[in-house]
Amino acid sequence: MALPRIRILATGGTIAGETCPGGDITRYRAGVRPVEALLTAVPELGALATLDAEQILSLDSKDMTPDDWLCMLSAACQALADPAIDGLVLLHGTDTLEESAYFLHLALPTGKPVVLTGAMRPADHPEADGPANLLAAVKLAASAEGVGKGVLVVMNGKPHGARHVRKARTSGLDAFESDPDWTTARPDGRFASLARAPLPRVDILPGYAGAPAKLIDACVADGAQGLVLALSGHGSVPSAWEPSLRRAREHGVAILRASRCAGPVIRNANADDDREGWLTAGDLPPPKARVALMLALAAGWDSATRQTCLPTF
Ligand code: ASP
């Protein structure tokens, strides 16, 4: 029987990283090794799938931008539209992996498996985790288990759904977690038919003791079309922010209440969202709520329908 055909799209990250000259293991450059070298390091892949690979970006994912998301989306759409391709694996830095994964989860057509993976140790580390992660990702992308769950992430032997995955720890191989686990993951793809256009600017503003309201005015003056407020507690808006937020709404800027806690932020609880015209993030963390809002704005959803791209509580 023919092996499944899997396309690998490489974007850089620590999985393609190399230790800086001098050998200090804590200092390395991400996104250095080409994808061909990463594949050659895992000869077992040949028994799982027929692979072809494309180096679409070579970035440390801390530098990933929304334009880079669109670059990934376009390469992924092209691969998934090819009847010869059975599944897709994206190699990505771990820092912003959950943002890219959720963006693709909302924007890609559903059907074929799409799996993102990365590494916590660079490729030249004596106990690099990249090869095992790559192997696990290809295995999942080539399997029936990877179908019908939307975009998935595999790290340290564990699959996660894009909706709930997050990088929870700065170091260690077990840096990623998700709750509930991936077996409950469902496909999304609600923005799959969106025409490719630059994504509108949406900024995230943290709430903290003494956070200045001037930051809101500065973001609006600088062109933000949406603001995600990463607030304390149950999405609690500081009283001092209210005039600036009202001015922002008068300029047509979308305002979304999210929390720096695990959530949820419930509509019209703790704030009069209906009266103010604010959106609420439900249990989406601020970076993922931002992704959903950017897509809703890009799709031209009006303020009445925008809330439907966010989980409701
Ligand atoms: N800074 C790196 C990146 O996100 C970290 C990693 O890949 O683990 O590309």
Side-chain angles (χ1 to χ4, degrees), residues 229-244:
L229 312 179
L231 297 162
S232 57
H234 186 273
S236 309
V237 176
S239 306
W241 282 19
E242 287 173 8
S244 294

Side-chain angles (χ1 to χ4, degrees), residues 113-260:
V114 178
V115 183
L116 279 76
T117 194
M120 293 298 290
R121 294 173 177 159
D124 60 353
H125 189 288
E127 290 168 30
D129 53 329
N133 286 342
L134 176 54
L135 197 62
V138 169
K139 199 171 185 179
L140 187 58
S143 75
E145 279 186 302
V147 180
K149 296 199 163 51
V151 171
L152 296 169
V153 170
V154 172
M155 287 294 292
N156 197 32
K158 269 190 231 149
H160 305 269
R163 163 79 169 76
H164 291 285
V165 69
R166 67 181 195 113
K167 186 174 184 180
R169 283 168 282 280
T170 57
S171 58
L173 298 185
D174 200 19
F176 282 77
E177 63 183 31
S178 54
D179 183 25
D181 79 35
W182 77 291
T183 53
T184 64
R186 296 282 168 269
D188 197 305
R190 73 185 72 186
F191 294 105
S193 54
L194 182 65
R196 308 278 168 263
L199 293 162
R201 174 169 152 191
V202 173
D203 293 335
I204 301 178
L205 284 177
Y208 52 90
K214 277 183 183 164
L215 294 180
I216 297 164
D217 302 315
C219 290
V220 173
D222 204 40
Q225 293 174 46
L227 293 177
V228 173
L229 312 179
L231 297 162
S232 57
H234 186 273
S236 309
V237 176
S239 306
W241 282 19
E242 287 173 8
S244 294
L245 290 175
R246 291 206 179 107
R247 274 196 298 279
R249 284 297 298 137
E250 280 159 23
H251 278 88
V253 175
I255 305 292
L256 194 159
R257 285 198 304 129
S259 176
R260 63 191 203 188

